[in-house]
Amino acid sequence: MSAGIDLDDVCCDFGSFRAVDHVNVAIQPGEFFSFLGPSGCGKTTILRMISGFTEPSSGVVRIGGKDMRGQRPNQRPTALIFQNLALFPLMSVADNIAFGLEVRGIDKAKRRARADELLRLVDLPGAGDKMVSQLSGGQKQRVAIARALAVEPAVMLLDEPLSALDLKLRQHMRAELRAIQKRTGVTFIYITHDQGEALAMSDRVGVMSHGRLQQVANPRDIYDNPANGFVASFVGENNILAGSVGAVGQGFASYDTPLGSFRARMAPNTGGAVKLYVRPEHMRFTAEAQAENSVPVTVTDVAFEGNFISVHALSENGTNLVAELRNDGLGNTPAPGAKLHISFDAARAAILPDETAAEA
Amino acid sequence: MQDLLRRYGTGLTGAFVLLTAFWLLVLIVLPNFYLLENSFRPYLPRVDMGGPLDTYSFDNYAKILTGSSPTEVFGLTVTLPVHVKSFLLTVGYSAFVTVLSFALAYPLAYYLAKIVQPKSLPTLFLLLFVPLWVSEVLRSFAWFIILSLKGPLNFSLLGLGIIEAPIRWIAGYRSIIIGLVYTYVLFMLFPIYNAIQSLDTNQIEAAEDLGSPWWRTHWRVILPHAKPGIASGAVMVFMLSAGSLLVPVLLGSTESNWFTQVIQQWMFEAADWNTGSAYAFILLVLCTVFVSLVMRVFRVKLSDIAK
């Protein structure tokens, strides 16, 4: 039923602008795969190439192993959920859901039965006779999902469908989408610029920037072992220090900065310009200097964020460092003005190719 | 109103209101009321006006039922009063002109609204508008020349080998239909263009993505969305066609008699403004009824058109 998708060295040019640049990825049948990236990174173009609204300038899109070149969207086994959902406002909810079946010449009674069945699947039983305008944002979302599922696609393509919803509903729909995907076993390809969404829902995430696929990995690896500075910065916060690599050995390297010398993880064949990336939640404060990766600082600002506390500190040479402390209720938050040492584990810090310039 | 007052002051606002009232009252309501009043009075010599003979009646309206002409309709011979026949033909052919205009305007409107590159739109619109810079009279005369038996159209068709003998274009109602479609097709094009343009392109793509062939996307998604635009275009083209005098006069053949020509004959040839007015109101009222009925059939509300 569900099919895998291969993007084989796919490029897409709009005039002189290269929207998608040599993308290679194999998406497994039944996988929940997200393309994550800032707006303009080419992720929507990828989606439109898979659904058939845009043809690649070069390279091949395969669905279930079949070359899709020259196949119109109405000939592909994909169903696209648009960012604005694109429900048909002049049709009832049931007619919306059954549209794909109507197109396939299925008779009215069967269509209606299938629409009602899908409405139960998306948790909207009995809404078939309503008009689209009578539904709330979250309900419209479900109808769009049901409409796409009605044609029994091998691949579902979702173009930031949650972006218009409020935070609570968004979190709820995340779980819902994930559950529907597991229940139906259809391959989901999800486009988003929201890292939280991508990490929470996906089996694998492909991070994109400037038309290039920067890294494809499971959410944990994307966050913990980013391939480069762009991925590290786009997915989560960082303290970024510039300097130069010193002694290298056994997956670690020393890194000299104006703030002092640090030790951090570095992949064996890392080349080019690099920077040191440390996540704020991996920073900690101590009264005494630690054996390594320790900097004396003065706390400048303490921002209470609810479940965590963001602490800004200034080193002696004027570098701003940020630590995020868990709000554990023990009340050991440093006060502004406190003179402390900030430190991190070498295993929690990474020396990565600097690609923040590419992000701009 | 408050807003107008605040923005333009009492003087200017008063001027706006007075001018609008003047336009509505003096140029529209009063003349129509004058014609309506006259349509119920007999056509009398000057001396009898206001005399005992000058009484209100429906006599002028009843005149449409006098005189008869046997007409062949689908093999049946029907005897109709001459002017009723002329009226029915006018309504029928105006409806035909409307359908023809729609058939021409819809594909073009869709093309302009959804397919063409936005940067070439101004040029295309200019090409559509350029003919309007020439007066309607001249354009109708131009068609008279184009359609004449030894005119450019027959010359081209003969030259291209499409026809073997010249076609008599100015015969029956043919040339009137061609002229009316040409004159009023833009009134159909622009409302439909506006309607289709306001359709979210994603809806068209969503339909295609769900497997819909192009014709079903038009039938189920684009046409229903464009319905108010089609309705307002159709009402305009129909009413303008039925009320057109210039095109039937210039492009009419010996066999054609548009109802407006009948009105014109009463008013200017018989100098009987009373009967002419009665006929004019018959045309106005019956066309309005016809349009309302068609709108009822196609489930279009007046408020949809006003949008």
Side-chain angles (χ1 to χ4, degrees), chain A residues 171-226:
Chain A
Q171 284 173 342
H172 178 72
M173 286 307 295
R174 274 186 203 174
E176 196 97 337
L177 274 178
R178 182 77 185 145
I180 289 170
Q181 195 261 335
K182 287 287 159 236
R183 234 176 295 161
T184 55
V186 173
T187 313
F188 269 48
I189 297 184
Y190 194 90
I191 296 292
T192 183
H193 63 263
D194 182 327
Q195 43 133 333
E197 236 167 68
L199 297 184
M201 291 196 288
S202 320
D203 294 316
R204 281 194 303 159
V205 178
V207 182
M208 287 196 70
S209 161
H210 289 263
R212 287 170 193 267
L213 204 47
Q214 303 288 334
Q215 185 176 9
V216 178
N218 65 46
R220 175 141 246 165
D221 275 344
I222 290 282
Y223 193 83
D224 289 344
N225 299 310

Side-chain angles (χ1 to χ4, degrees), chain A residues 63-126:
Chain A
I63 301 178
K66 261 187 23 212
D67 189 341
M68 284 292 137
R69 272 177 295 194
Q71 300 273 302
R72 293 292 308 156
N74 52 14
Q75 299 166 316
R76 298 192 183 200
T78 56
L80 175 57
I81 295 183
F82 290 80
Q83 186 160 14
N84 65 358
L85 305 180
L87 294 174
F88 306 126
L90 301 175
M91 297 184 203
S92 71
V93 166
D95 282 352
N96 260 280
I97 295 172
F99 183 76
L101 303 174
E102 180 190 325
V103 166
R104 285 160 179 75
I106 290 163
D107 71 64
K108 211 167 181 168
K110 274 197 193 135
R111 289 200 312 248
R112 183 62 206 235
R114 179 80 179 124
D116 286 338
E117 190 184 315
L118 282 159
L119 279 170
R120 280 195 296 279
L121 177 81
V122 296
D123 219 10
L124 271 179

